[in-house]
Structures are given as C-alpha cells and as structure tokens.
Amino acid sequence: MQHLLDLTLEEFRDACVANDRRPYVAEQVLDWIHRKGTTEFDAMTNVSKSDREWLKAAFVIFRSRIDRAQVAGDGTLKILLGWDPPEEHSEDHSLPQAGQSPPLQQTETVMIPAAKRRTACVSSQVGCPVGCRFCASGLGGLEGNLTAGQIVEQVLRLSEEEGVGRITNVVFMGMGEPLANDKAVMKAIRILNADWGPAIGARHITVSTVGLPKAIRRFARFDLPVTLALSLHAPNDQLRRLLIPWAEYSTIDELTSACQAWFLASGREITLEYLLLREVNDRTEHARQLAKIASTLRARINLIRYNEVKGLPYQRPSTVDVREFQRILRRHGVNATIRASRGRDIAAACGQLRHEARKQQTES
Ligand code: SF4
C-alpha cells in the first residue's frame, strides 16, 4: 500500500488516472484530509463508494501509531511515533529493509505552543548519523531516512491531538540531520506549504543543520523562501570537533562561506543556533569568538540552554551565565536572543523520549 501523505497533488492525480479514476478524486480526498481533518476514507462522503473502495485498497493515510504522548505544564506536547515496517509499504525503500531492520522504528515530534503559534518540531531521520556528544538522538546512530510522507504525517499527527488545532510553524530540529536527507525534506516542505496541503507559509518553516557546506549551497537553490539555521554550538574548530563528530569534515570557515553563498542566492539571513553547555562553551572567550562569526555572517544568534540527558556528562548553565553570555554578544553588536526553555518537565531534549522508551524495552 502506498503512503498517501507522500504524494503531491500531481502525483495523486496521476495515480487516479492510471487506475481509471477521475483526477478530481485527488482534490476531494486532500480537501478532506487537510481542510476537514478527516483521515478515514469511509467518512469522505462526496467520494463515490467505488472510489473509496479503491482508495482503501491502494493507500494508507497514517502509517504511524502513537507509542507515547506527554504534555508538559507549559502545554508543550511530545509524541513518540512508531512506524510500521517498510515491507508493508512497497513504495518506500528509504528505511532499512526486512532482514536488516532494527527492533523498533520510532521518531519524536514536538508541538510548542506560544500565543497564536503552534510550532511543530519534526524529525527528518530515524536516529541521527551525526552523533553530537550532548544529544540523545545520536546515541544509537542512524537507523534510516524518513520519507516526505513520514515528515508530513508528524505535523498532521500533532494537529489531531486534543486542543492543538492547526500547526502554524514547522522547524526541522528534531531527530536527524535534515540536509543529509534533503530530497525528502524538500518534498515534505513543498507538501506542507502547498495550498492543497497544510498551507504552512514557507517563511514559517525553518531547516536547522549542523552544517554540510555542499548541501547548504545546494539548498540555497531551493525556490521556497524557508529559513536556514546553522547549529554552530562551538565558536572554534577545536571545540566543535569535540562536540560534533561531523565537524571533522568541514571547518567553521568553510561553513561560513557556504552560509554567505546561501545569503547571496536566497537573500535571506541565517540564524546561528548555539547550545550553551556549562563550562564547556559558555565562557567569555567563547562569546567573543562567536560574536566575530555572527558579525561576518550578519546572523542573529539563538542561544539555547541545554536540557540534561541522563547518562551524558553535560550540564545546563546557570541563568546568570546565560545572561552574561548574551550581554557580551550584544556588546559586540550582535542580535542574540535566549530561547525560552519549553517542556522541561517532560523528556524535552531531542531524542530523549525515544531513548528512554528503548531503554525500558531492553530492560523489560
Ligand atoms: S543535535 Fe541534531 S545533529 Fe546532533 S546528534 Fe542530535 S539530532 Fe543529530
């Protein structure tokens, strides 16, 4: 069965025509899914019975099951999605095939509410190949790429949860390195942005990368005006290599130059993400070095206070140290904001919920 959410309107129309169905069935079905919030073919009353029977035999709308859901005191919602094995979806070859499959395919998705915004933080891969030393997502390495449909499904799953409603913003800051799966990520962005789909404005979509210079240059040619965020996390190559194994493959200078190419091609400034780890990258000299990079790029900086992960040695810095770091950046003329910590009372750090679920399965 084919994953319906993996198709663009055009591809869906083609599938209808190829099966002797009228092409407008595609519009009808997508209207039910994205405007009326229905994911049951049988509830699509303006679709003929014969078309519904065909749809049920040929397509699946949701591929995932919700393995866990947690709501924090501040309204942040985190869901752990379990994915059916790929052999049941013959069109999908991106996840490991039968025989080499891992015990359980799970990904995390988070919804962060703020005033009228509902931001979905989505995963682009199962696990992560980068293996940042401070992150729970990279602990088990990469298990597979997500398809465009699996990325879109995360957004729909969130909006189906009680009290969430329409998702207004999407950030690719969950599990995985989006530019290591850029084909699926770009297709997912097209679907999420389409007026026949969830219609999320491209300017409300942010792709966050740990930095692959070639992929950044390629992504600069993408025709939708999304925002690019570079997860820098260290202001010099030596420290960056200690924290991010993939920093071995490219220097900060190479990344800076790729980001400048992005700016020239897209006309959009980038954001630098900087995760503050206590006594690791939060010292005065780090702030000064970071200010220099931000000035070169004319980038704004998003400072993020670390959420501790059980079993990892890194600590959350104090409020005083974070404010001082921000003050130094601002003194150097850099626009630096501190991201509000959300969902601290649930396993908020990226990959932590999945990591804990997996540990429990192994122990039981
Ligand atoms: S921080 Fe991002 S890039 Fe690094 S291991 Fe975690 S998910 Fe991967």
Side-chain angles (χ1 to χ4, degrees):
M1 285 225 265
Q2 199 165 7
H3 191 196
L4 187 54
L5 298 179
D6 202 39
L7 300 183
T8 61
L9 172 61
E10 205 179 12
E11 289 168 336
F12 192 11
R13 273 195 197 129
D14 289 348
C16 292
V17 173
N19 286 277
D20 299 324
R21 308 277 154 183
R22 287 152 304 179
Y24 71 74
V25 171
E27 267 104 338
Q28 287 178 317
V29 171
L30 292 172
D31 185 61
W32 277 103
I33 295 174
H34 296 294
R35 300 288 155 269
K36 302 187 181 105
T38 300
T39 51
E40 297 294 329
F41 290 122
D42 278 332
M44 300 179 181
T45 47
N46 61 350
V47 178
S48 73
K49 190 157 189 298
S50 138
D51 285 337
R52 276 186 268 144
E53 291 308 316
W54 167 66
L55 288 161
K56 282 194 284 182
F59 297 100
V60 60
I61 298 178
F62 278 162
R63 273 186 55 180
S64 64
R65 54 181 187 277
I66 297 180
D67 284 346
R68 272 188 203 193
Q70 291 181 332
V71 186
D74 62 11
T76 299
L77 163 71
K78 189 166 206 173
I79 54 177
L80 184 67
L81 296 178
W83 297 95
D84 286 342
E87 61 270 22
E88 288 176 25
H89 305 274
S90 55
E91 297 295 316
D92 172 10
H93 303 293
S94 65
L95 291 171
Q97 298 300 296
Q100 27 157 232
S101 56
L104 197 57
Q105 296 275 353
Q106 288 179 315
T107 54
E108 287 185 13
T109 307
V110 182
M111 188 284 299
I112 305 141
K116 284 185 181 160
R117 264 189 321 215
R118 296 285 177 273
T119 301
C121 176
V122 297
S123 295
S124 53
Q125 296 183 301
V126 186
C128 183
V130 182
C132 298
R133 305 287 181 225
F134 45 79
C135 173
S137 287
L139 285 175
L142 177 70
E143 291 174 14
N145 282 328
L146 292 179
T147 61
Q150 287 176 300
I151 296 169
V152 173
E153 181 162 334
Q154 294 172 58
V155 174
L156 264 58
R157 278 290 194 193
L158 285 175
S159 58
E160 270 213 332
E161 288 291 299
E162 203 186 327
V164 175
R166 187 176 177 270
I167 295 293
T168 58
N169 297 60
V170 174
V171 293
F172 285 81
M173 292 185 187
M175 289 165 69
E177 164 51 57
L179 295 190
N181 185 23
D182 53 351
K183 211 170 146 213
V185 165
M186 286 194 258
K187 184 175 182 186
I189 292 173
R190 285 196 193 289
I191 295 172
L192 291 169
N193 174 250
D195 51 8
W196 48 262
I200 298 168
R203 288 178 199 283
H204 296 162
I205 299 177
T206 299
V207 174
S208 176
T209 175
V210 87
L212 305 163
K214 270 192 196 152
I216 291 175
R217 286 172 198 274
R218 214 169 40 236
F219 194 48
R221 295 195 293 270
F222 188 48
D223 57 347
L224 292 178
V226 297
T227 300
L228 182 70
L230 173 66
S231 299
L232 199 62
H233 304 330
N236 61 65
D237 288 320
Q238 200 187 4
L239 182 54
R240 200 160 191 268
R241 284 182 190 136
L242 287 177
L243 298 175
I244 304 173
W246 277 22
E248 201 62 53
Y249 306 125
S250 47
T251 63
I252 290 177
D253 278 351
E254 286 164 346
L255 284 176
T256 309
S257 135
C259 288
Q260 281 167 330
W262 158 276
F263 178 71
L264 284 176
S266 68
R268 291 186 304 283
E269 287 173 4
I270 74 149
T271 303
L272 296 178
E273 305 279 342
Y274 195 92
L275 182 71
L276 284 159
L277 306 160
R278 188 176 182 174
E279 290 176 13
V280 174
N281 64 356
D282 65 344
R283 305 291 85 191
T284 305
E285 68 270 23
H286 298 137
R288 289 203 192 107
Q289 291 168 353
L290 180 59
K292 219 167 149 191
I293 299 168
S295 305
T296 311
L297 282 171
R298 284 186 295 162
R300 61 183 285 273
I301 297 177
N302 209 350
L303 297 172
I304 307 155
R305 277 176 83 184
Y306 184 60
N307 281 326
E308 286 102 348
V309 176
K310 243 188 240 162
L312 297 185
Y314 299 99
Q315 290 173 343
R316 186 173 166 86
S318 69
T319 307
V320 174
D321 285 350
V322 174
R323 292 243 173 265
E324 175 59 13
F325 199 90
Q326 182 191 35
R327 204 179 56 76
I328 299 168
L329 291 170
R330 286 186 167 169
R331 221 176 46 219
H332 284 78
V334 175
N335 176 4
T337 48
I338 301 169
R339 188 190 294 166
S341 287
R342 305 300 303 264
R344 282 273 290 160
D345 51 338
I346 56 176
C350 167
Q352 206 168 332
L353 186 61
R354 171 177 171 266
H355 180 57
E356 285 174 9
R358 189 158 280 198
K359 248 174 69 187
Q360 281 170 12
Q361 280 153 19
T362 326
E363 284 162 10
S364 64

